[in-house]
Amino acid sequence: MNGSPNSGSGCNFAPWSDPKEKPLIRFDAVTKKFGDFVAIDNLNLKIYEREFFALLGPSGCGKTTLMRMLAGFEQPTMGSIMMRQQHLTDIPPHRRPVNMMFQSYALFPHMSVEQNIAFGLKQEKRPKAEIKDRVEEMIALVQLQAFAKRKPHQLSGGQRQRVALARSLAKKPKLLLLDEPLGALDRKLREQTQFELMTIQEKLGTTFVIVTHDQEEAMTVASRIALMDQGKLVQVSTPREIYETPNSRYVADFLGDVNIIGGHILGPDDKEDDIVQLAWHEDYAPLRIRLPQPVSFPEKGTERWVAVRPEKVRITKEYPTDTHNILKGKVLDIAYTGNISTYHVETEDGQIIKSQEANLEHLHRRAITWDDEVYVHWRAGGCVLLER
Amino acid sequence: MRRFSFFNASALTLGFAFLYLPIVLLIIFSFNESRLVTVWGGFSTKWYSAVFANKGFMDAAWVTVRVGLVSATLATILGTMAALVLVRAGRFPGKTLFSGMVYAPLVMPEVITGLSLLLLFVSLDFDRGFWTVILAHVTFSMCYSAVVISSRLVTFDMSLEEAAMDLGASRMATFFQITVPIILPSIVSAWLLSFTLSLDDLVIASFTSGPGATTLPMKIYSQVRLGVTPEINALSTILVVLVSTGVIAASLLTKRREVQRRREERAAVAGG
Ligand SMILES: Nc1ncnc2c1ncn2[C@@H]1O[C@H](COP(=O)(O)OP(=O)(O)OP(=O)(O)O)[C@@H](O)[C@H]1O
Ligand SMILES: [Mg+2]
């Protein structure tokens, strides 16, 4: 589950942090209302060329609406969407250099695989030979040579998904929108297709915007992830940043598993000056959290939260040394998921702390078991301080 | 599965007998050798030859077929347009009124429809004949085709049209390359339905027809008033066969489309 920011375009690919770089797509204060309901709420966003941009968020938060505005099926109620120097709002869907792969695939049932892929090219009235070459190229890309003459209903779900992908890629769009493209695939095929997508992106240099419910998928393919909630962007960052330094409890909780403890700022640590202390319970020592550089201390007494990922919480029977935060508790539950075990530890005041350990040895040798008195501990650099 | 009891069987038999006995009798007596309609005199197809030799009948048949072809085509086009507006246009002022008005002629007594059309043609000083019958038939059969086509459009997946537009097809191109081919079975069944409706209409045609535009049902009716002949039986049998072929073809198309859609849906679900 660890984020690996491996956009298809190399490790140093970060146009968003380069002020000279011009975005491909720019949302300026875009609001979309359906009647009184605000689906997209004053949204600002820049997407750069060759990005693999993932949209994440709970159901109904407006991801599809955002995509549909890019494709031209919905008009923003307020604000503007620019593509380079052009107002997208003025361009009807069939004139936009944007193609969309629908969640339902939307393959034309009366056309064969070939005809489906050729449809977009035919609309441009390109020469026959060119269309034929391009269709063959696309069919080879998604490895459907044996199925070119079949109708959609004669294909499996995975094959259809690849037809939809080939069809949306055929016109070499500047921007490709993928609305939950891999939702229908089993795990193996999904992983395989994720890599295919990244390869395609590397080959064609297309900009991808992908909606997904699967955060692992977003982590794998995306150069940046945008997390949405109720029509607003909560955080837009690289997979590593959004996982390691979420900007709110909402983000921390949405992506992966997390322990969150609330408290009040006490002040700097007396030994290390980039560590802040958080008072969270009168019977316990304050928690210590290393702040990111450059350090700016929050005011004393303000309410803050600390978030720590279970895999960064160690669990031992002996009192640990060389660590910053130590809590004593009792093992309440152990969840075994093959490669890892998650320990649910209850502290004396009822706080549950989750700790994950890789299963290095066979289970019957497990050193820690139910009802054991244990210490859970983590270092100040392993957790983050959250404002909201 | 429910039990097929004696009661069910007899109810079914009685029901079907009630519905079809008269028609079966008509068909049997059309093969009667005897000139007397109610006395069986042996098997013969001579009345059919007589029908085909009768110029009055043949002229009427030709008028009927032409009226049917033209009015069914017009009704299907208009019905498709009405269905598109009903299903696609979202809410607009007067939508409820419009949809009510499209469906109203379905339940309007034919006599009223015929009479009001007659009044219209008279007041506009139209010469009644071939074209007035066509106009009248379009008026009522387009409601049926609107119903048939809109029931298909309701289940039409809009994302197919969006996908087409997304791939660069204009609205027009999308309609003719995507929408029409996909709903074609229901367009054809709407056409067949309109055609058969036109074929067997008597009341409205009687009101709106004029000299030289006698349709087959009108001809039969006027003949019957002079007495039922075996010839009429034969002619009616031909009409029955034509009409039932049309209706069966229309419902088979609808059925096949339904089966096809269900198969596609099942495939989609199985894939998903
Ligand atoms: N045409 C519409 N009319 C009215 N409300 C709409 C319309 N389209 C979307 N909405 C509403 O806008 C909100 C956002 O919808 P959207 O489809 O963008 O959600 P989503 O993030 O894609 O959700 P999911 O993950 O379930 O696909 C939802 O609450 C939805 O009910
Ligand atoms: Mg959606």
Side-chain angles (χ1 to χ4, degrees), chain B residues 130-141:
Chain B
F130 183 66
W131 284 103
T132 47
V133 180
I134 287 179
L135 280 180
H137 281 185
V138 169
T139 317
F140 76 89
S141 54

Side-chain angles (χ1 to χ4, degrees), chain A residues 34 37 39 58-65 180 213:
Chain A
F34 294 109
F37 179 78
S59 188
C61 69
K63 305 178 296 287
T64 300
T65 308
E180 295 185 38
H213 270 294

Side-chain angles (χ1 to χ4, degrees), chain A residues 149-349:
Chain A
K149 299 271 185 277
R150 293 217 195 160
K151 293 274 179 68
H153 68 87
Q154 298 165 316
L155 298 175
S156 77
Q159 289 161 346
R160 275 184 233 174
Q161 181 259 322
R162 284 183 278 162
V163 178
L165 185 65
R167 189 180 69 177
S168 56
L169 278 169
K171 291 183 78 177
K172 298 189 185 153
K174 268 194 193 148
L175 179 64
L176 186 62
L177 309 171
L178 307 164
D179 196 350
E180 295 185 38
L182 314 181
L185 304 186
D186 66 56
R187 200 186 161 83
K188 264 246 159 59
L189 194 53
R190 183 152 66 206
E191 277 171 11
Q192 193 184 327
T193 316
Q194 285 167 6
F195 280 102
E196 254 174 65
L197 277 181
M198 292 197 289
T199 322
I200 288 169
Q201 201 236 14
E202 219 163 302
K203 260 196 222 163
L204 303 180
T206 314
T207 307
F208 282 71
V209 177
I210 181 172
V211 166
T212 172
H213 270 294
D214 179 350
Q215 39 170 301
E216 214 166 314
E217 181 172 297
M219 294 286 218
T220 314
V221 299
S223 61
R224 279 193 303 162
I225 293 176
L227 182 58
M228 289 183 72
D229 183 31
Q230 296 182 4
K232 288 195 167 92
L233 288 173
V234 190
Q235 187 170 4
V236 184
S237 307
T238 62
R240 178 175 299 173
E241 277 169 7
I242 206 165
Y243 186 76
E244 300 291 350
T245 55
N247 68 4
S248 59
R249 282 178 290 163
Y250 178 79
V251 177
D253 198 34
F254 194 87
L255 284 138
D257 221 349
V258 73
N259 298 299
I260 291 177
I261 303 171
H264 293 89
I265 296 292
L266 265 188
D269 188 73
D270 36 16
K271 289 195 269 313
E272 291 168 84
D273 59 7
D274 60 345
I275 289 183
V276 69
Q277 299 194 75
L278 187 82
W280 67 285
H281 196 280
E282 50 201 30
D283 300 340
Y284 291 85
L287 296 172
R288 287 177 291 169
I289 305 126
R290 194 180 300 281
L291 294 172
Q293 300 292 340
V295 178
S296 63
F297 274 102
E299 204 174 310
K300 192 167 179 236
T302 47
E303 194 181 16
R304 287 289 188 274
W305 292 266
V306 57
V308 55
R309 300 281 181 198
E311 75 270 10
K312 298 193 172 70
V313 178
R314 297 273 65 86
I315 179 166
T316 49
K317 278 183 163 170
E318 306 79 39
Y319 190 82
T321 54
D322 190 32
T323 186
H324 295 98
N325 302 297
I326 303 166
L327 300 179
K328 189 166 178 247
K330 206 160 80 174
V331 176
L332 200 67
D333 203 1
I334 306 173
Y336 171 72
T337 47
N339 52 343
I340 50 173
S341 293
T342 305
Y343 299 86
H344 295 241
V345 176
E346 188 178 22
T347 63
E348 277 151 42
D349 74 318

Side-chain angles (χ1 to χ4, degrees), chain A residues 68 73 93-94 98-100 102 104 106-111 119-120 123 153 157 160 167 171 184, chain B residues 157 159-160 162-170 173 177-178 181-182 260 263-264 267-268 271-272:
Chain A
R68 289 172 62 80
F73 304 130
H94 62 278
V98 176
N99 284 148
M100 182 155 167
F102 288 73
S104 59
L107 297 179
F108 308 131
H110 58 301
M111 296 185 189
F119 185 84
Q123 303 307 316
H153 68 87
R160 275 184 233 174
R167 189 180 69 177
K171 291 183 78 177
Chain B
D157 181 4
S159 67
L160 291 177
E162 288 179 345
M165 281 193 264
D166 187 64
L167 290 165
S170 62
Q177 293 179 40
I178 303 299
I182 293 175
Q260 164 111 11
R263 197 178 55 194
E264 275 164 17

